[in-house]
């Protein structure tokens, strides 16, 4: 199995409890013993869907087709993730209670928000790195102070962080399993005026006194986190973790209509839907708007899945272009924004002192 075949096999496996046609295809492949399990483990792990894969195969009673040692390993990793997620949710509830007592309503995002929305059959399905929430800008600094007074400190205490547009540097607390990111924005600066706190706060859901995004906004953020914040749109790649979240959300709302209110973000979202539609084998709930631009994106997406040399060459070019653009933006900020200018001067002084000490 090449990379594309393995990726698309995993994609189908993630849908077998909802899509009968994919269940039959996967079952036939398993019966024919045509699966490269080493490749499946490697790719599903790199896409953070290893536990999701296991649980979907288990629910469909297909584990007997897998090597017994692999099933034991999948079971072990999934249980570890389940225990970790229970701790993370308890940690998030504690933070939520702290902020509500101080008249601040955090809106939980990404994996933690997904679990609070309760659309996973098993919380072990989702790999969570950290706890993300966003607050109104007028209480952003107050939130940081409250959380720090509650025992949280910077993950990298000794690093001189540059001003961050989206969120405060990661915080952690002794005895707590997950780091924390306090957001004032959800997207990079270029697109923040179109999808931000003011846009998402109006139709949030409240579940057991915890505030999370609406299903439509959750779809948009799941996609834009990959496409915009992680540059997936520019590199034309797909992360199955986000794609699986979008697939589950598409069973609760109309994915194709969920981003109609957006403007320049429509195209990258539609492209993600298109690549997910293909990776999950043309599922109706992931239908997209088939435009000439989107079909061109899909063509490149599929080429990169099978042509390693072209992908690596183009990735290097794209990465360098993005570096130049961002370096130029940062230089302009140091000229026109006092906050960035002060950071830059302080950073130079710190580097000078460190070099002097080293010599």
């Amino acid at each position: 199995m090449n990379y594309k075949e393995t990726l698309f096999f995993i994609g189908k496996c993630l849908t077998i409890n909802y899509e009968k046609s994919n269940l039959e295809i996967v079952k036939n492949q398993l019966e024919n013993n045509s699966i490269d399990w080493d490749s499946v483990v490697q790719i599903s792990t790199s896409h953070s869907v290893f536990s999701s894969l296991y649980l979907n195969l288990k629910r469909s009673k297909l584990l007997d087709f897998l090597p017994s040692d692999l099933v034991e390993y999948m079971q072990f990793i999934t249980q570890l993730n389940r225990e970790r997620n229970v701790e993370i949710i308890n940690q998030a509830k504690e933070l939520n209670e702290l902020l509500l007592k101080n008249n601040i309503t955090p809106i939980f995002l990404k994996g933690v928000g997904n679990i609070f929305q309760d659309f996973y059959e098993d919380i072990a399905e989702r790999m969570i790195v950290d706890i993300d929430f966003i607050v109104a800008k007028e209480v952003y600094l107050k939130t940081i102070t409250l959380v720090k007074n509650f025992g949280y400190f910077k993950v990298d205490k000794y690093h001189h962080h540059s001003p961050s547009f989206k969120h405060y540097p990661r915080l952690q607390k002794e005895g707590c399993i997950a780091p924390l990111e306090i957001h004032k924005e959800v997207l990079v600066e270029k697109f923040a005026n179109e999808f931000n706190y003011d846009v998402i706060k109006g139709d949030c859901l409240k579940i057991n006194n915890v505030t999370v995004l609406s299903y439509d906004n959750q779809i948009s953020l799941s996609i834009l986190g990959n496409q915009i914040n992680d540059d997936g749109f520019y590199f034309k790649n797909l992360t199955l973790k986000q794609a699986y979240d979008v697939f589950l959300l598409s069973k609760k709302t109309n994915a194709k209509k969920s981003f109609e209110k957006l403007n320049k973000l429509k195209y990258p979202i539609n492209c993600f839907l298109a690549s997910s539609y293909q990776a999950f084998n043309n599922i109706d709930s992931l239908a997209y708007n088939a435009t000439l631009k989107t079909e061109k994106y899909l063509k490149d997406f599929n080429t990169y899945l099978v042509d390693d040399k072209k992908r690596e060459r183009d990735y290097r070019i794209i990465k360098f272009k993005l570096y130049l653009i961002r370096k130029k933006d940062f230089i302009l900020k140091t000229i026109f924004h006092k906050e960035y200018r002060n950071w830059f001067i302080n950073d130079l002084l710190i580097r000078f002192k460190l070099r002097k000490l080293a010599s």
Side-chain angles (χ1 to χ4, degrees):
M1 297 173 74
N2 60 31
Y3 179 80
K4 182 177 181 179
E5 290 169 341
T6 307
L7 186 76
F8 283 21
F9 169 74
I10 296 168
K12 287 191 282 287
C13 287
L14 295 175
T15 71
I16 53 180
N17 290 283
Y18 299 86
E19 307 291 333
K20 289 184 178 179
S21 59
N22 279 349
L23 175 60
E24 291 303 315
I25 293 170
V26 168
K27 191 173 181 180
N28 286 335
Q29 284 185 269
L30 293 172
E31 287 174 343
N32 292 331
N33 198 27
S34 60
I35 307 303
D36 179 354
W37 289 110
D38 287 340
S39 181
V40 169
V41 171
Q42 181 182 359
I43 293 173
S44 62
T45 300
S46 69
H47 283 253
S48 300
V49 292
F50 187 65
S51 294
S52 307
L53 174 65
Y54 164 71
L55 289 166
N56 275 285
L57 291 170
K58 180 182 178 182
R59 285 195 286 264
S60 294
K61 298 180 170 46
L62 296 176
L63 292 179
D64 289 342
F65 292 102
L66 278 64
S68 58
D69 57 340
L70 174 57
V71 173
E72 288 179 13
Y73 178 65
M74 295 176 97
Q75 194 171 21
F76 172 71
I77 295 299
T78 302
Q79 181 58 26
L80 285 180
N81 195 48
R82 183 179 294 110
E83 292 169 3
R84 173 182 165 82
N85 283 354
V86 168
E87 289 190 53
I88 290 173
I89 290 302
N90 288 335
Q91 185 182 342
K93 287 178 179 177
E94 183 182 53
L95 284 163
N96 185 60
E97 186 178 345
L98 167 73
L99 296 176
L100 290 179
K101 282 182 180 177
N102 287 275
N103 300 314
I104 297 171
T105 301
I107 303 172
F108 286 90
L109 311 169
K110 303 180 183 179
V112 170
N114 293 354
I115 290 180
F116 277 132
Q117 283 177 313
D118 201 26
F119 61 79
Y120 301 110
E121 289 190 39
D122 187 327
I123 65 169
E125 288 190 57
R126 186 55 153 82
M127 295 289 293
I128 299 176
V129 176
D130 46 28
I131 297 170
D132 293 85
F133 65 75
I134 188 169
V135 295
K137 288 182 181 178
E138 55 266 27
V139 295
Y140 176 66
L141 295 178
K142 178 184 176 182
T143 302
I144 294 167
T145 301
L146 280 168
V147 169
K148 283 185 173 181
N149 290 340
F150 194 59
Y152 281 81
F153 53 88
K154 286 184 181 179
V155 170
D156 190 349
K157 297 186 236 183
Y158 306 106
H159 181 69
H160 183 54
H161 294 275
S162 62
S164 174
F165 180 77
K166 282 196 307 169
H167 59 76
Y168 194 72
R170 274 185 178 181
L171 299 169
Q172 64 184 16
K173 184 180 180 182
E174 197 72 37
C176 289
I177 195 168
L180 165 68
E181 287 186 353
I182 302 171
H183 286 253
K184 56 181 175 178
E185 300 286 355
V186 290
L187 296 183
V188 296
E189 191 169 1
K190 182 179 178 181
F191 298 98
N193 65 333
E194 189 170 339
F195 192 71
N196 51 44
Y197 179 84
D198 291 333
V199 171
I200 64 181
K201 70 178 181 179
D203 58 354
C204 283
L205 305 174
K206 186 152 282 191
I207 302 167
N208 297 322
N209 217 28
V210 175
T211 304
V212 294
L213 299 180
S214 67
Y215 292 133
D216 285 353
N217 285 331
Q218 190 74 308
I219 283 182
S220 293
L221 182 58
S222 295
I223 293 175
L224 294 170
N226 179 89
Q227 292 288 80
I228 301 302
N229 292 341
D230 296 337
D231 297 328
F233 175 66
Y234 306 107
F235 293 111
K236 298 179 177 64
N237 60 24
L238 176 74
T239 304
L240 287 177
K241 180 173 75 171
Q242 277 81 18
Y244 183 53
D245 284 347
V246 172
F247 165 70
L248 293 176
L249 283 160
S250 75
K251 301 301 179 183
K252 296 183 175 293
T253 189
N254 189 315
K256 192 175 179 180
K257 293 182 178 180
S258 64
F259 53 96
E260 284 183 340
K261 294 179 182 178
L262 299 178
N263 185 19
K264 56 189 175 184
L265 289 170
K266 279 184 180 179
Y267 177 49
I269 291 177
N270 194 53
C271 288
F272 186 96
L273 272 185
S275 53
S276 299
Y277 180 80
Q278 282 203 353
F280 290 156
N281 196 31
N282 306 343
I283 290 172
D284 289 342
S285 64
L286 294 175
Y288 64 97
N289 296 306
T291 65
L292 289 175
K293 284 176 67 178
T294 304
E295 295 306 313
K296 171 62 170 63
Y297 180 97
L298 270 181
K299 183 180 178 181
D300 291 339
F301 166 73
N302 282 287
T303 299
Y304 289 154
L305 291 177
V306 296
D307 191 336
D308 292 342
K309 287 184 179 179
K310 178 173 174 54
R311 182 183 70 248
E312 290 171 6
R313 183 180 66 249
D314 288 359
Y315 275 25
R316 283 195 297 270
I317 295 170
I318 295 165
K319 190 173 183 180
F320 183 65
K321 286 181 178 179
L322 290 173
Y323 169 80
L324 291 178
I325 291 168
R326 286 162 187 169
K327 182 61 71 175
K328 176 187 172 185
D329 288 344
F330 188 80
I331 291 170
L332 290 173
K333 284 177 180 175
T334 60
I335 295 172
F336 296 106
H337 296 277
K338 184 178 179 181
E339 182 185 14
Y340 283 85
R341 189 161 56 251
N342 289 342
W343 172 85
F344 183 66
I345 293 169
N346 288 333
D347 188 62
L348 286 177
L349 290 172
I350 289 170
R351 290 174 185 271
F352 175 76
K353 288 178 183 177
L354 289 174
R355 285 183 183 177
K356 194 171 182 181
L357 287 172
S359 61

